[in-house]
Amino acid sequence: MTVLSSDIEPRPRGRRRWPYLVAAALAGIGLGLLALALLRPHVYAGAVLQSSGPAPPMTELSYADGGEVDLAALRGDVVLVYFGYTHCPDVCPTMLSSVARAVGGLGAEGERVTTMMVTVDPERDTPDLLAGYVAHFDDGFRGVWGSEDDVRSVATRYGVIFEHDEPGADGSYLVSHTASLMAIDPEGALRIVYPVGVTADDLQRDLAELLG
Amino acid sequence: MRRSPALLGVILLASCAGGGTIEISDAWARPSPEVADTAAFYVSLVNQSDVDDVLLGAESDRCADAQLHESVMEEGTMSMSHLPSIVLTAGSDLEMAPAGIHVMCMGVTEPLTVGESVSVTLTFEQSGDLTVSVPVEDR
């Protein structure tokens, strides 16, 4: 009789069904979380500049290994600009090491990141010295050099100031400088400013986002 | 900040006539570019005694001169100031770190390379000279 069979069936069938319901519920939650993650905008680790426009030109400066610095030629790449100097013992190596790790972590995509250190000490930082210094951190890093007046004009456009401290007894001196790292996006806009202390991981995530 | 067992190994306890006891840990230095004239050493210090002590300076045969320095951010500009000495009151600690207090090595005689350890002597008012082996690491 049909009544009898339906009386017997429900328990085993119910027992067999619940794992599927749990799996379906978990899959639903998973999809929801994935959608949230995809829809949520990337939060940059640095300060995002709103409508900053094209990055200020620096054509009066040259690469330490030759050639004028033409930012327009780097469209499509992310350009990281740092103002530093080779006699800088602490802050510059800290920043350049983080950038090197971040760019290295991107693998092949890292080739679309151009990192340059503009010297704020052109008197002591000869092009050769500068090229050797930045290459220590990453073979692809570019040293950028110019006369003190030209470096100062470019620095001012980027909101960077620098000043030579009083020389010590041996004539050596340190340079106080704005030590932020600036990122120019592939469209050529100055987009993000990073403080000293930005981690390589945070920077790598931001670079991946900027590269698209 | 404890980073690795190897670093924990670099711990030195010293007791001297003055009664000072300074624990030194987490010593490290970044490799220095071949062309660079400067480098930095970082160490963490704990004054485990019940008397104040003063870090008076540092030296290493890898540096023509070594000084205590602090990188200071002022209105967005990074400057370095020379610290003639650093007071370590009884029980206090001092963590040197990038973009903060460090031993600045001036006139690097030979580039610091990953894997080696550099001998650095710290001079304290109470504890005298303490020599620490500073591993060069890519951090």
Side-chain angles (χ1 to χ4, degrees):
Chain A
M1 283 173 71
T2 53
V3 173
L4 190 63
S5 76
S6 68
D7 276 346
I8 295 165
E9 286 294 310
R11 283 170 63 118
R13 199 191 285 156
R15 236 183 254 136
R16 255 182 269 124
R17 202 182 286 148
W18 76 261
Y20 296 107
L21 289 173
V22 169
L26 286 176
I29 291 167
L31 280 173
L33 288 174
L34 184 67
L36 269 179
L38 290 174
L39 291 171
R40 192 177 55 193
H42 178 81
V43 178
Y44 287 99
V48 178
L49 305 176
Q50 301 299 339
S51 61
S52 61
M58 45 173 92
T59 43
E60 54 267 75
L61 305 182
S62 307
Y63 290 115
D65 50 3
E68 152 186 303
V69 181
D70 177 13
L71 291 177
L74 295 168
R75 290 280 160 87
D77 285 6
V78 169
V79 181
L80 296 175
V81 183
Y82 182 72
F83 290 79
Y85 65 112
T86 72
H87 283 71
C88 171
D90 175 42
V91 171
C92 308
T94 299
M95 184 61 100
L96 293 175
S97 298
S98 294
V99 175
R101 261 201 298 278
V103 172
L106 290 169
E109 272 292 276
E111 284 167 28
R112 288 180 55 213
V113 179
T114 299
T115 304
M116 42 180 88
M117 181 172 97
V118 182
T119 179
V120 291
D121 187 16
E123 196 182 317
R124 284 185 302 185
D125 286 345
T126 61
D128 277 353
L129 179 55
L130 193 55
Y133 184 81
V134 296
H136 165 82
F137 298 94
D138 187 303
D139 283 346
F141 285 5
R142 315 287 305 268
V144 171
W145 184 87
S147 70
E148 180 150 348
D149 284 349
D150 285 342
V151 170
R152 203 170 286 282
S153 315
V154 170
T156 305
R157 280 174 225 153
Y158 278 82
V160 166
I161 53 173
F162 61 93
E163 190 182 4
H164 292 192
D165 297 351
E166 280 300 308
D170 61 350
S172 70
Y173 57 89
L174 294 164
V175 183
S176 297
H177 61 117
T178 308
S180 326
L181 176 76
M182 284 162 276
I184 299 171
D185 70 16
E187 284 74 47
L190 186 56
R191 279 284 298 284
I192 305 176
V193 179
Y194 294 97
V196 173
V198 63
T199 68
D201 286 350
D202 283 346
L203 197 53
Q204 186 182 329
R205 272 190 289 274
D206 282 8
L207 290 172
E209 177 72 17
L210 284 173
L211 288 166
Chain B
M1 280 158 71
R2 301 284 184 246
R3 286 189 173 91
S4 81
L7 292 168
L8 289 175
V10 189
I11 286 177
L12 193 123
L13 280 167
S15 299
C16 292
T21 305
I22 301 288
E23 185 195 272
I24 305 177
S25 64
D26 202 16
W28 71 287
R30 239 182 255 292
S32 66
E34 218 163 292
V35 297
D37 190 51
T38 63
F41 302 118
Y42 308 100
V43 296
S44 291
L45 306 172
V46 184
N47 181 357
Q48 292 190 319
S49 75
D50 52 9
V51 291
D52 296 352
D53 208 340
V54 184
L55 176 58
L56 297 168
E59 61 177 28
S60 168
D61 57 10
R62 298 291 285 275
C63 321
D65 192 13
Q67 289 182 350
L68 304 172
H69 272 250
E70 182 171 20
S71 298
V72 186
M73 180 70 93
E74 269 175 285
E75 292 169 18
T77 303
M78 201 47 118
S79 307
M80 283 207 299
S81 57
H82 172 215
L83 305 174
S85 62
I86 301 172
V87 176
L88 274 165
T89 54
S92 71
D93 57 20
L94 168 72
E95 189 188 312
M96 297 191 191
I101 295 174
H102 55 276
V103 175
M104 177 175 168
C105 175
M106 290 170 284
V108 178
T109 56
E110 199 188 327
L112 311 183
T113 53
V114 173
E116 69 161 331
S117 286
V118 176
S119 178
V120 177
T121 301
L122 303 175
T123 303
F124 296 86
E125 194 176 78
Q126 297 296 324
S127 306
D129 284 354
L130 303 182
T131 298
V132 59
S133 173
V134 178
V136 180
E137 295 176 355
D138 230 338
R139 286 200 196 172

